[in-house]
Amino acid sequence: MTQRRAISRRSALKMAGLAAAGAALSGCSIPGRGVTGTVAKADAVADFWKGKQKNGSLRFANWPLYIDKEGSRYPSLELFKEETGISVTYQEAVQDNSTWFGKIQPQLAAGQDIGFDLMVMTNSIQLNRAIQLGYLVPLDHKQLPNFGGNAAGRVKSPLWDQGNAYTVPWAVGVTGIAYNPKYVDGEITSVQELWNPKYKGKVGMMLDSQEVANFGLFATGVDPDKSAQADWEKAAAKLKEQRDQGIVRKYYENDYVDALVRGDVWVTMAWSGDVFQQIAEGQDLKFVVPAEGGTIWTDNMCIPKTARNPVDALMLMDFVYRPDVAQMLVEYINYIAPVPATKELILADAAKAKGEDKESLEQIANSPLIFPSSADQAKLRNYVTLTSEQEKVFEGIFQPITQG
């Protein structure tokens, strides 16, 4: 049976500053705005990779509960070791973006080894800084044929990293609305329901300023990735009104799902993978991308400039874009795969499976939380990309609402 984690990757940690989320789906294009990512020059790519060879070793830093570990049903790392001869030291070393970046920045600035050759970071202010400061290796796409051939169109060349010069996505998620139909009459389709007085004291919002800001912007009819300071101030006023009227029970970090299951909240902002796992475990919950919009974000693989084994890291980056390997990962992670072909592979396995295995695989393949419909894709928006100066203004506007 498809292995379930007790808690999801996102529920396992304290969220910290998601920003500038990239896109990860095929289909419609979602516009972005803000600081354009630095494009690596061809000569810089050639200079770095000239003479570099596989060393047979790889040190990989990822988030908790974010890969099919040894001994599981989905042994992607074991398969990688077997096929390439590369030994992998894998650590769940990344707990949040700001803490991780704060830890590695002094070493990268000094040109020192951080102890890892490959790491995963959310599209964030911190990741943008790492790119701008020259802390990441420019990728040689000649060595990434699987990414080129199998990646969804939406993960290619995001605004903040044009041409995927420094990053390729690991997994993708959506922030939308979850609700407990036991306490809610009818269907929820609008973000405005988070302001509905009939749910007073039973609404959950997210503590993270980027997340809650996006929904304030949706509520005021503004696309976050097209927003400016005047829009932020209007959205903040809308969020303050919601808070002051007692509609919000709590601004949650990682415990909103438990509150939803218990009935402490009836309607809440939510992450797609969290809710899918609860539904798969038998909970009667609903997840929707509201009509006004939902947020899409990506977690991304990148190579620090002090990596000792960059070729080995690049080989793993390309390896996980093989559809059969991407299938292993999506069946375990339960977030959106950046390889669209995984859906048909899962359905093919489901056709051959029986009993609980069959049911589980069909549930994954047919879930709009893992394979969003084109209608939902069209409603997904990015976080606004912020400069350092804009970040201070932005945080000054939204943090007092959730922390005041």
Side-chain angles (χ1 to χ4, degrees):
M1 186 174 182
T2 300
Q3 180 176 343
R4 296 286 175 214
R5 294 164 291 164
I7 51 177
S8 77
R9 195 288 260 176
R10 290 262 150 179
S11 294
L13 20 121
K14 178 179 179 180
M15 294 300 297
L18 292 182
L25 303 173
S26 57
C28 65
S29 175
I30 300 173
R33 74 186 294 273
V35 179
T36 301
T38 301
V39 179
K41 296 181 179 179
D43 55 352
V45 175
D47 288 346
F48 178 85
W49 292 101
K50 184 177 181 179
K52 296 285 194 307
Q53 295 182 347
K54 166 186 164 184
N55 294 325
S57 179
L58 175 63
R59 303 165 300 168
F60 186 5
N62 205 345
W63 299 73
L65 308 173
Y66 223 19
I67 199 170
D68 43 345
K69 290 187 174 182
E70 294 181 8
S72 74
R73 174 174 172 170
Y74 309 106
S76 59
L77 282 183
E78 292 180 22
L79 184 62
F80 178 72
K81 296 174 190 178
E82 178 183 331
E83 293 191 7
T84 65
I86 297 173
S87 63
V88 182
T89 301
Y90 182 86
Q91 293 186 37
E92 295 179 335
V94 186
Q95 300 295 324
D96 64 64
N97 293 293
S98 59
T99 301
W100 174 250
F101 187 68
K103 178 181 178 180
I104 64 176
Q105 183 177 18
Q107 295 164 286
L108 290 172
Q112 299 173 351
D113 180 26
I114 67 168
F116 295 98
D117 309 301
L118 182 65
M119 58 186 180
V120 176
M121 293 182 67
T122 310
N123 291 7
S124 60
I125 294 168
Q126 291 78 22
L127 182 54
N128 188 56
R129 287 177 186 164
I131 293 173
Q132 298 297 328
L133 290 170
Y135 291 164
L136 303 182
V137 169
L139 302 180
D140 181 5
H141 279 266
K142 293 179 181 177
Q143 300 184 60
L144 294 171
N146 287 326
F147 174 78
N150 300 322
R154 284 292 289 126
V155 306
K156 293 183 176 180
S157 201
L159 180 69
W160 53 272
D161 184 21
Q162 293 183 27
N164 298 95
Y166 300 95
T167 69
V168 296
W170 174 258
V172 187
V174 169
T175 307
I177 295 176
Y179 62 99
N180 191 327
K182 179 179 179 180
Y183 305 104
V184 173
D185 294 330
E187 295 183 355
I188 287 181
T189 59
S190 171
V191 72
Q192 299 298 337
E193 291 301 306
L194 295 171
W195 276 259
N196 193 328
K198 74 178 180 179
Y199 302 130
K200 183 176 182 179
K202 296 295 185 179
V203 170
M205 299 292 285
M206 291 189 173
L207 181 65
D208 179 80
S209 58
Q210 290 276 359
E211 291 280 28
V212 77
N214 263 26
F215 273 64
L217 289 162
F218 290 141
T220 54
V222 176
D223 284 352
D225 51 14
K226 298 178 182 177
S227 65
Q229 183 173 343
D231 301 310
W232 306 341
E233 292 170 349
K234 184 177 179 181
K238 181 76 171 177
L239 290 163
K240 186 175 184 294
E241 171 189 301
Q242 179 198 38
R243 182 198 66 188
D244 293 347
Q245 290 179 358
I247 294 173
V248 179
R249 179 182 180 90
K250 181 180 175 181
Y251 295 94
Y252 289 91
E253 292 181 331
N254 55 14
D255 49 350
Y256 71 91
V257 170
D258 290 339
L260 185 64
V261 171
R262 289 194 304 264
D264 294 346
V265 296
W266 299 348
V267 186
T268 183
M269 293 177 62
W271 294 305
S272 54
D274 288 358
V275 180
F276 174 83
Q277 290 160 13
Q278 291 294 323
I279 293 172
E281 293 294 339
Q283 298 294 338
D284 185 15
L285 302 178
K286 304 292 184 182
F287 181 88
V288 62
V289 178
E292 297 85 351
T295 304
I296 187 168
W297 45 263
T298 62
D299 288 333
N300 308 277
M301 294 177 284
C302 49
I303 303 173
K305 70 174 184 178
T306 56
R308 293 179 179 176
N309 308 295
V311 173
D312 306 77
L314 202 63
M315 289 176 68
L316 181 63
M317 294 172 84
D318 196 52
F319 178 77
V320 299
Y321 273 83
R322 258 177 40 184
D324 61 321
V325 177
Q327 177 192 359
M328 294 180 185
L329 293 172
V330 72
E331 288 184 13
Y332 180 79
I333 296 170
N334 297 159
Y335 277 96
I336 301 168
V339 179
T342 53
K343 180 172 183 177
E344 293 305 317
L345 292 178
I346 296 170
L347 285 171
D349 280 355
K352 295 179 289 186
K354 297 180 180 180
E356 291 183 347
D357 271 0
K358 183 180 183 69
E359 180 181 347
S360 179
L361 291 169
E362 288 177 343
Q363 187 175 32
I364 292 171
N366 294 319
S367 174
L369 282 71
I370 297 179
F371 296 99
S373 67
S374 57
D376 279 347
Q377 290 182 39
K379 293 184 288 184
L380 298 176
R381 296 292 181 266
N382 300 325
Y383 301 90
V384 63
T385 307
L386 303 170
T387 64
S388 296
E389 292 74 20
Q390 289 173 327
E391 178 189 352
K392 295 176 183 178
V393 174
F394 186 93
E395 295 290 345
I397 291 173
F398 290 103
Q399 277 191 352
I401 296 170
T402 60
Q403 299 179 3

